[in-house]
């Protein structure tokens, strides 16, 4: 065996410098210092070698030559503070000092002027340098962030870092590991340790070996079961102890503590056991806190609560008792001690605490709570008031303990004398007094608390209670006084007080608050209308409808001719008010804005829907007087007569309207009216006359072509559509009718040609692209349809691509790929209602009904005017919804009255469905959808 030590254990040679042989002159490993610094220059190396040679006594190495006197003098002049040359003999007088001061001020001013640019330049250079030369810390920042996802098990499974270099080291470790053969008895014992056996007797008789037996011949020995359980637990403990690096010699076993703890961490432990280590560490920290600073009250409280968390309640009580001795003036420590103790001990501690702190309100209140009967509590509170008569909290506790209102009134009277600035005490006293005395109490309160708006509100509510709310305007006086005292709350706070009054039934006070304070803080330059509309919408969302009405009433006094506010107020009454209130609001609206045909028609419609046909006619007659040639009023009158079966009168009104208000819409409605009555010749004649007057009306050309289709004259319809697209090339519905007619006639190439011309006229129309794709799909040209879809998705703007994605998902995508395609579409288009309906239908097909319902409702929220969404949702509810849910959807749809949607318009504008309501149209569209 050689005695030569291994390489790593040998000492370094003399004069050894690490890395010198390979040219390394120095480096740094601190990440904050950046890259390695440069080595010494050649001159520095030569100077160091010469100095070393001189120290060793070598004569050959001559010291560096000194510079001549002139060079030294030049270096001396380079130092401004070392003036020993030309001006060495000069005298530094006041003029020199003033000159230096002037130069210094100039330098500071110039530096201040250039500082911003210099700092910006330096910052840019620094950022550029850091970008080109990142620190090691920055290079590994992403890896450090990824450590957040490392679990405790993965962290515990990391191998220990050891010295794995050197062949001798490995051989030593191999020699230290000894293995011994396991005896057969140990293997046999381990095999039978967890074994549970059941035996059945041959004759079915029960066993008599001390166990309980059943009638079917099975034997259960509870004693052996207990022994087996003990053996299983023992085996698990042995496995846990041997999971680490263990060395066994005979019966002795040395266990690696780290491996043992790691193996135990993998097993299931109770939560309390897992917290033991944390509790011990925190206990050491808190013990250090209370030893170094024994007068620190929070430290004692934290230490006591830690012991309580650990389940050592006695130790917690002893610890907090020591804290009370060290911090006798700290009420938090005393309160914690009272909480930890019970019964008589808590009362004794409370008495000691009050002796030390007889001015602590919390200690007196806590002592009162420890008493069981009301009489003892009153006694404690009265002792407290003897020591602290100015405490508002103690007076409130005393009043709450009184059961007799007269006694409580006496206490409050005394309290308001001692604490005249307490608003709560004054209000409580006013509530207990009679209305007359309450008014006197509130007058006194206003004198002592002139800046309290709560007292003014209480006074207003008192006047409302007395029936004088409309006559006495308390809130007007309140606003004046509060503004004078500079104590006027914000407008939002006043709205909150009004809502509180509405909740408690004080409607007149609520209206008075809004009337006198809503305009506070808003100038005419501010957007007051939008601000008040937002306030009203917020109140409606919170269910405070009276407050919203008051806001609308105030806004209409400021903006009496605002149609927007009148419509919002009418909508509030329609949804949350009565029919009479709605009529009253609309009557005020048409009187304030007589030129608004929308308000007139709303009033007439409400009268008509309520069954008051004559009143509706009177409303429209008044509307004619204010708007003599308005086409909307004429058409509303025609609709009213037509819906009530007065065909002749409706036809006469239309004839009169064509003379007095000859617009293209009036002519179009006249033709539609005749078409609905199945008088196609008269309708065609009206359309022809209208086209002579309005040749660029797309709807008139569409009606003409549809009438020819109804008359089964496809060639004339083709001519009408062809002439129409030339006159109105930007009308997408007209192009669609033209192409569908050609497809219906079997002229597929002609239909394609029409759609190609349409896309040239309206290049970015999603409807035209979708129709082209459907034409190819219906012709079984799937490849061409897919090619057109790709072109459409490139040309059509993304916000309009919803109908295209819906078509692609349902007709050009295999069933397993629909959901990924829908996810891609949502990323591209986001909240298009047609796409949302398509996603809902996907969930519907997968029987995920709840999610399908949620997506249908999202589509309705996105665009409630799209009738197709309502129809799909209703069709879904017909299969998977309840009757109540279906009725709810129908009522909402009737309230919204949708007007758009491909299938919806096709059904609603069919002449056969002219007299049908929204509910009937909804059911027809749902039945047609596939």
């Amino acid at each position: 065996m050689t005695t030569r030590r291994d390489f790593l254990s040998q000492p370094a040679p003399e004069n050894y410098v690490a890395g010198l042989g390979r040219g390394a002159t120095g480096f740094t490993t601190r990440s904050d210092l950046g890259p390695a610094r440069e080595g010494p220059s050649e001159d520095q190396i030569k100077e160091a070698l010469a100095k070393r040679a001189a120290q060793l006594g070598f004569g050959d190495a001559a010291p560096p030559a000194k510079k001549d006197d002139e060079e030294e003098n030049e270096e001396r002049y380079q130092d401004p503070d070392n003036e020993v040359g030309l001006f060495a003999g000069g005298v530094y007088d006041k003029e020199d000092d003033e000159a230096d001061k002037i130069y210094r001020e100039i330098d500071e001013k110039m530096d201040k002027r250039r500082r911003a640019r210099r700092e910006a330049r330096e910052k840019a250079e620094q950022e550029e340098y850091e970008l080109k030369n990142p620190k090691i810390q920055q290079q590994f920042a992403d890896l450090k962030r990824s450590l957040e996802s490392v679990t405790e098990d993965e962290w515990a499974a990391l191998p220990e870092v050891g010295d794995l270099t050197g062949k001798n080291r490995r051989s030593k470790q191999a020699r230290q590991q000894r293995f011994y053969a396991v005896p057969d008895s140990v293997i046999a014992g381990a095999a039978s340790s967890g074994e549970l056996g059941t035996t059945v007797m041959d004759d079915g008789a029960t066993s008599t070996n001390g166990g309980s037996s059943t009638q079917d011949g099975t034997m259960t020995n509870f004693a052996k079961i207990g022994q087996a359980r003990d053996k299983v637990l023992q085996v698990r403990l042995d496995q846990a102890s041997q999971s680490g690096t263990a060395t066994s010699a005979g019966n002795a076993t040395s266990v690696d503590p780290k491996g043992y703890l790691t193996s135990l961490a993998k097993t299931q432990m109770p939560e309390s056991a897992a917290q033991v280590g944390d509790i011990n560490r925190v206990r050491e920290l808190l013990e250090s806190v209370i030893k170094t600073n024994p007068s620190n009250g929070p430290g004692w409280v934290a230490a006591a609560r830690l012991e309580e968390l650990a389940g050592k309640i006695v130790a917690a009580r002893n610890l907090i008792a020591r804290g009370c001795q060290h911090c006798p003036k700290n009420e938090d420590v005393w309160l914690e001690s009272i909480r930890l103790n019970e019964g008589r001990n808590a009362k004794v501690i409370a008495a000691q605490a009050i002796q030390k702190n007889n001015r602590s309100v919390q200690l007196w209140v806590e002592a009162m709570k420890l008493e069981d009967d009301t009489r003892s509590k009153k006694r404690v509170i009265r002792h407290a008031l003897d020591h602290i008569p100015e405490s508002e909290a103690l007076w409130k506790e005393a009043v709450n303990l009184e059961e007799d209102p007269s006694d409580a009134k006496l206490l409050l009277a005394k309290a308001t004398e001692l604490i005249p600035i307490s608003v709560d005490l004054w209000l409580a006293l006013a509530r207990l007094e009679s209305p007359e005395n309450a008014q006197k109490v509130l007058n006194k309160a206003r004198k002592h608390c002139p800046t309290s708006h709560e007292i003014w509100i209480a006074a207003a509510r008192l006047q409302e209670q007395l029936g004088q709310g409309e006559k006495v305007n308390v809130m007007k006086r309140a606003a004046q006084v509060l503004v004078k005292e500079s104590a006027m709350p914000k407008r939002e706070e006043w709205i909150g007080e009004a809502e509180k009054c509405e909740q408690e039934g004080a409607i007149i006070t609520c209206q008075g608050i809004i009337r006198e304070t809503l305009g506070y803080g808003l100038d005419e330059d501010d957007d007051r209308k939008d601000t008040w509309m937002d306030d009203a919408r917020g109140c409606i969302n919170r269910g405070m409808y009276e407050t919203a009405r008051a806001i609308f009433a105030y806004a209409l006094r400021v903006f009496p001719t605002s149609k927007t506010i009148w419509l919002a107020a009418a909508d509030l009454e329609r949804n949350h008010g009565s029919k009479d209130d709605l009529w009253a609001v609309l009557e005020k609206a048409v009187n304030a804005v007589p030129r608004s045909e929308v308000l007139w028609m709303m009033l007439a419609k409400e009268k008509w829907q309520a069954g008051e046909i004559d009143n509706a006619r009177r409303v429209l007659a008044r509307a004619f007087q204010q708007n003599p040639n308005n086409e909307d009023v004429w058409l509303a009158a025609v609709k009213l007569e037509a819906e009530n079966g007065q065909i002749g009168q409706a036809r006469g009104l239309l004839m009169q309207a064509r003379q007095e208000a000859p617009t293209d819409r009036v002519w179009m409605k006249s033709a539609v009216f005749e078409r609905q009555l199945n008088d196609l010749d008269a309708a065609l004649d009206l359309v022809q006359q209208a086209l002579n007057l309005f040749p660029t009306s797309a709807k008139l050309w569409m009606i003409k072509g549809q009438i020819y289709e109804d008359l089964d004259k496809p060639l004339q319809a083709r001519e009408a559509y062809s002439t129409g697209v030339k006159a109105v090339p930007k009308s997408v519905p007209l192009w669609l009718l033209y192409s569908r007619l050609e497809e219906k006639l079997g002229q597929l190439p002609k239909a394609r040609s029409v759609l190609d011309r349409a896309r040239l006229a309206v290049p970015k129309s999603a409807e035209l692209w979708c129709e082209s794709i459907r034409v190819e799909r219906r012709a079984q040209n799937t490849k061409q349809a897919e090619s057109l879809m790709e072109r459409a998705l490139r040309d059509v703007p993304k916000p309009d691509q919803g109908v295209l994605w819906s078509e692609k998902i349902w007709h050009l995508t295999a069933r397993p790929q629909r959901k990924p395609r829908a996810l891609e579409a949502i990323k591209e288009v986001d909240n298009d209602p047609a796409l949302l309906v398509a996603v809902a239908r996907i969930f519907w097909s997968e029987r995920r009904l709840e999610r399908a319902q949620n997506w249908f409702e999202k589509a309705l929220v996105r665009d409630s005017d799209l009738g197709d969404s309502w129809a799909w949702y209703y069709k879904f509810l017909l299969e998977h919804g309840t009757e109540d849910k279906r009725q709810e959807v129908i009522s909402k749809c009737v309230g919204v009255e949708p007007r758009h949607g491909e299938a919806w318009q096709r059904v609603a504008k069919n002449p056969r469905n002219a007299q049908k309501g929204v509910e009937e149209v909804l059911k027809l569209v749902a039945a047609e959808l596939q």
Side-chain angles (χ1 to χ4, degrees):
M1 179 180 294
T2 177
T3 59
R4 184 175 180 271
R5 289 183 292 181
D6 58 298
F7 177 75
L8 294 178
S9 301
Q10 294 180 4
E14 188 176 1
N15 298 330
Y16 171 75
V17 179
L20 188 62
R22 61 176 185 270
T25 57
F27 59 92
T28 179
T29 59
R30 292 182 60 188
S31 61
D32 293 335
L33 297 179
R37 62 176 181 267
E38 297 180 358
S41 62
E42 184 177 358
D43 295 335
Q44 291 175 340
I45 294 175
K46 289 181 180 180
E47 184 178 355
L49 292 175
K51 188 180 295 185
R52 179 63 176 170
Q55 291 177 355
L56 296 176
F58 295 104
D60 296 340
K66 295 184 178 180
K67 298 181 180 180
D68 54 4
D69 295 337
E70 294 180 357
E71 292 179 351
E72 289 181 1
N73 291 336
E74 291 177 358
E75 291 178 355
R76 197 175 298 167
Y77 292 140
Q78 292 176 0
D79 186 5
D81 297 329
N82 187 18
E83 295 181 346
V84 296
L86 180 62
F87 301 101
V91 179
Y92 189 83
D93 54 7
K94 293 183 179 180
E95 294 180 356
D96 296 331
D97 181 70
E98 183 178 0
D100 291 342
K101 183 178 180 181
I102 292 172
Y103 280 116
R104 186 163 55 252
E105 290 177 354
I106 292 173
D107 291 337
E108 290 175 357
K109 186 173 181 180
M110 296 298 294
D111 180 75
K112 185 176 181 181
R113 290 175 56 186
R114 300 169 182 168
R115 185 181 304 165
R117 287 181 294 174
R118 185 179 68 251
E119 290 177 353
R121 186 182 67 255
E122 291 174 354
K123 184 178 180 181
E125 293 175 354
Q126 180 67 20
E127 290 176 354
E128 183 180 1
Y129 177 80
E130 291 178 355
L131 184 63
K132 293 181 179 179
N133 303 285
K135 298 180 181 179
I136 298 177
Q137 180 181 8
Q138 298 174 351
Q139 295 177 5
F140 292 94
D142 55 339
L143 298 177
K144 289 183 178 180
R145 284 193 297 269
S146 64
L147 291 177
E148 295 178 355
S149 60
V150 178
T151 62
E152 294 183 0
D153 294 340
E154 293 175 347
W155 187 268
L158 292 176
E160 295 292 335
V161 179
D163 187 4
L164 303 179
T165 60
K167 182 177 180 180
N168 294 334
R169 184 66 54 85
R170 289 193 295 270
S171 62
K172 288 180 182 179
Q173 292 178 354
R175 287 195 302 270
Q176 290 176 357
Q177 295 179 356
R178 293 184 175 86
F179 301 93
Y180 300 93
V182 180
D184 295 339
S185 59
V186 175
I187 298 175
S192 62
S193 61
E195 189 176 279
L196 299 176
T198 59
T199 59
V200 180
M201 306 298 289
D202 295 334
D203 55 356
T206 59
S207 176
T208 58
N209 292 332
S212 63
S213 303
T214 60
Q215 297 299 326
D216 58 354
T218 60
M219 180 187 68
T220 304
N221 192 330
F222 293 105
K224 290 187 177 181
I225 288 176
Q227 295 176 3
R229 183 189 62 188
D230 296 340
K231 287 183 180 180
V232 171
L233 293 175
Q234 184 64 34
V235 169
R236 288 181 179 177
L237 289 174
D238 293 341
Q239 291 175 352
S241 63
Q242 295 173 5
S243 61
T245 304
T247 303
S248 301
N251 294 329
T253 303
S254 63
V255 181
D256 181 13
K258 296 182 179 179
Y260 181 63
L261 292 175
T262 303
S263 63
L264 288 180
K266 295 179 181 178
T267 61
Q268 295 181 355
M269 293 192 305
E271 185 178 358
S272 59
Q275 294 177 351
V276 170
D278 296 336
I279 290 175
N280 291 333
R281 286 193 294 270
V282 177
R283 183 183 287 119
E284 293 177 0
L285 291 174
L286 292 177
E287 286 178 357
S288 174
V289 169
I290 59 180
K291 285 181 180 178
T292 55
N293 188 7
S295 61
N296 184 9
W300 290 103
V301 174
R305 290 186 179 178
L306 178 67
E307 299 299 337
E308 181 185 11
L309 178 64
K312 300 180 179 180
I313 190 65
V314 177
R317 291 171 181 170
N318 295 333
L319 198 59
I320 201 64
R322 290 169 51 201
C324 293
Q325 295 175 2
H326 287 86
C327 308
K329 297 296 182 181
N330 192 312
E331 65 178 11
D332 293 333
V333 179
W334 287 107
L335 290 171
E336 186 68 17
S337 180
I338 294 171
R339 187 185 66 83
L340 291 174
N341 289 273
E342 299 175 354
R344 182 171 178 80
N345 291 337
K347 293 180 181 180
V348 172
I349 294 172
Q352 295 175 357
I354 290 173
Q355 288 178 0
K356 301 289 185 181
N357 305 272
N358 59 1
R359 302 283 298 175
S360 174
V361 176
Q362 293 186 7
L363 289 176
W364 281 108
V365 173
E366 197 65 30
M368 180 269 295
K369 292 180 180 179
L370 293 175
E371 299 295 338
D372 298 329
D373 57 316
T374 306
R375 185 176 180 181
S376 300
K377 291 183 177 181
K378 291 180 181 179
R379 185 176 63 251
V380 173
I381 285 296
R382 287 173 182 173
H383 282 301
L385 289 172
D386 292 338
H387 290 84
I388 320 173
E390 70 279 1
S391 173
E392 181 180 352
L394 291 177
W395 281 108
K396 289 181 180 179
E397 293 290 344
V399 171
N400 291 334
L401 291 174
E402 295 295 339
E403 299 178 357
D404 189 358
S406 60
D407 295 338
K409 194 186 304 181
L410 293 174
L411 284 175
L412 285 170
K414 183 65 175 176
T416 52
E417 290 179 7
L418 296 173
I419 316 173
I421 61 173
S422 174
V423 177
D424 293 337
L425 294 177
W426 282 111
L427 294 177
L429 180 58
R431 293 190 190 100
L432 294 177
E433 293 285 357
S434 62
E436 294 77 9
N437 293 334
Q439 196 167 358
K440 297 178 182 178
V441 169
L442 291 175
N443 289 332
K444 292 181 181 178
R446 285 205 302 267
K447 293 178 181 178
H448 290 93
C449 306
T451 61
S452 172
H453 65 279
E454 293 93 346
I455 296 176
W456 286 101
I457 294 174
R461 296 185 61 177
L462 178 61
Q463 293 298 327
E464 182 179 358
Q465 184 180 354
L466 294 173
Q468 303 293 325
E470 298 288 349
K471 298 179 182 179
V472 181
N473 193 349
V474 177
M475 292 311 303
K476 183 176 181 180
R477 175 64 178 160
Q480 295 173 355
V481 173
L482 291 173
V483 170
K484 183 178 179 181
E485 296 289 340
S486 300
M488 189 72 170
K490 295 181 180 179
R491 189 175 51 84
E492 293 79 5
E493 297 178 17
W494 281 116
I495 294 175
E497 293 291 344
E499 293 179 353
K500 191 183 300 181
C501 291
E502 180 183 352
Q503 288 177 342
E504 297 175 0
I507 305 300
I508 297 177
T509 305
C510 167
Q511 296 171 354
I513 291 174
I514 295 298
R515 181 175 60 251
E516 301 299 336
T517 62
L518 190 64
Y520 177 74
L522 294 177
D523 299 330
E524 294 184 359
D525 297 337
D526 299 330
D527 199 354
R528 295 182 294 173
K529 183 191 297 184
D530 293 340
T531 303
W532 291 335
M533 292 288 288
D534 292 340
D535 294 337
R537 280 192 288 267
C539 293
I540 293 172
N541 294 334
R542 292 188 291 271
M544 300 301 166
Y545 305 123
E546 291 294 338
T547 307
R549 288 189 181 96
I551 293 174
F552 282 136
Y554 182 84
L556 288 171
R557 279 195 294 271
V558 180
F559 302 102
T561 60
S562 174
K563 185 171 66 174
T564 305
I565 301 178
W566 281 113
L567 291 174
D571 188 62
L572 172 63
E573 299 301 337
R574 181 186 297 108
N575 295 327
H576 307 289
S578 63
K579 181 170 58 177
D580 295 334
D581 293 335
L582 175 58
W583 290 354
V585 169
L586 289 175
E587 284 288 352
K588 294 179 181 178
V590 296
N591 292 329
V593 194
R595 294 292 182 180
S596 175
E597 67 277 3
V598 177
L599 296 173
W600 285 107
M601 288 189 294
M602 284 182 63
L603 180 57
K605 182 179 178 182
E606 295 297 332
K607 296 283 187 180
W608 171 42
Q609 290 181 347
E612 299 185 3
I613 307 300
D614 294 335
N615 289 333
R617 289 193 180 102
R618 293 190 188 97
V619 170
L620 290 176
R622 292 164 54 195
F624 277 124
Q625 295 176 2
Q626 299 293 336
N627 304 273
N629 295 323
N630 188 278
E631 65 175 15
D632 292 325
V633 179
W634 280 106
L635 295 177
V638 171
K639 184 177 181 181
L640 176 63
E641 300 300 338
E643 293 288 343
N644 289 280
Q646 303 295 329
I647 304 300
Q649 195 168 355
R651 185 179 281 119
L653 287 173
L654 282 171
M655 185 181 299
Q656 189 176 357
R658 290 197 299 270
Q659 295 174 0
E660 298 186 9
T663 62
D664 58 341
R665 185 161 173 245
V666 170
W667 281 95
M668 184 264 296
K669 288 292 184 180
S670 301
V672 170
F673 180 73
E674 299 296 340
R675 185 186 175 199
Q676 291 173 355
L677 297 177
N678 204 23
D679 192 352
L680 300 181
D681 294 334
L684 189 60
D685 183 55
L686 287 172
V687 168
Q688 194 61 48
Q689 295 179 38
L691 286 174
N692 293 331
L693 297 173
F694 308 101
T696 58
S697 176
K699 290 187 177 181
L700 290 173
W701 287 109
M702 287 188 281
I703 293 173
K704 183 178 180 180
Q706 289 171 343
I707 291 174
Y708 277 125
E709 288 188 49
D710 294 340
L711 292 173
D712 198 16
K713 295 181 179 180
L715 298 180
Q716 288 85 342
R718 175 189 290 171
E719 183 180 357
Y721 291 142
S722 177
T723 309
V725 295
K726 293 177 182 177
V728 194
K730 297 295 182 180
S731 176
V732 173
L734 190 56
W735 285 107
L736 294 176
L737 289 174
Y738 191 10
S739 68
R740 288 168 185 169
L741 176 63
E742 297 294 348
E743 187 179 4
K744 181 179 177 181
L745 295 175
Q747 301 294 327
L748 190 60
K750 182 70 173 176
R752 289 174 179 149
S753 175
V754 169
L755 289 173
D756 290 341
R757 289 164 51 201
R759 293 201 304 273
L760 290 175
V762 191
K764 295 184 178 181
S765 172
E767 291 81 3
L768 291 175
W769 279 104
C770 188
E771 186 65 22
S772 299
I773 295 166
R774 289 172 180 172
V775 167
E776 300 299 337
R777 182 171 56 80
R778 288 191 289 264
Q780 306 299 324
N781 295 330
T782 308
K783 295 293 184 182
Q784 182 65 19
E786 292 177 352
S787 175
L788 286 173
M789 178 63 71
E790 297 302 324
R791 290 174 56 193
L793 292 176
R794 286 197 304 269
D795 295 345
V796 177
K798 287 187 177 181
D800 302 331
Q801 292 180 2
V803 64
L804 294 173
W805 281 106
S806 179
E807 181 74 17
K808 183 176 183 179
I809 291 170
W810 276 99
H811 299 289
L812 299 178
T813 304
R815 186 184 181 93
Q817 299 297 322
R818 286 177 181 173
K819 189 178 292 185
R821 190 73 65 233
L823 180 61
E824 179 185 356
I826 290 173
K827 292 180 181 178
E828 294 290 333
V829 185
D830 198 10
N831 287 328
D832 188 275
L835 178 59
L836 296 177
V837 170
V839 175
R841 292 171 60 193
I842 292 174
F843 287 119
W844 182 7
S845 64
E846 295 177 353
R847 310 293 295 179
R848 301 174 68 178
L849 305 180
E850 185 176 355
R851 299 202 65 180
Q853 183 173 345
N854 293 336
W855 281 88
F856 276 126
E857 291 177 354
K858 285 182 182 178
L860 295 177
V861 171
R862 181 63 180 172
D863 186 4
S864 60
D865 193 49
L866 191 64
D868 290 2
S869 302
W870 289 100
W872 275 113
Y873 191 23
Y874 182 73
K875 187 179 181 68
F876 168 78
L877 293 176
L878 287 176
E879 295 185 16
H880 307 290
T882 62
E883 183 63 28
D884 295 339
K885 189 64 177 178
R886 287 193 288 270
Q887 291 300 323
E888 179 186 353
V889 170
I890 290 174
S891 62
K892 289 183 178 179
C893 184
V894 171
V896 172
E897 294 186 4
R899 299 180 181 276
H900 295 89
E902 184 179 357
W904 184 273
Q905 288 186 330
R906 184 170 62 250
V907 173
K909 293 188 176 182
N910 192 322
R912 294 189 298 270
N913 303 325
Q915 303 298 326
K916 291 184 171 62
V918 177
E919 181 178 354
E920 295 175 296
V921 173
L922 174 65
K923 294 179 180 179
L924 289 174
V925 177
E928 184 179 325
L929 291 175
Q930 295 178 356

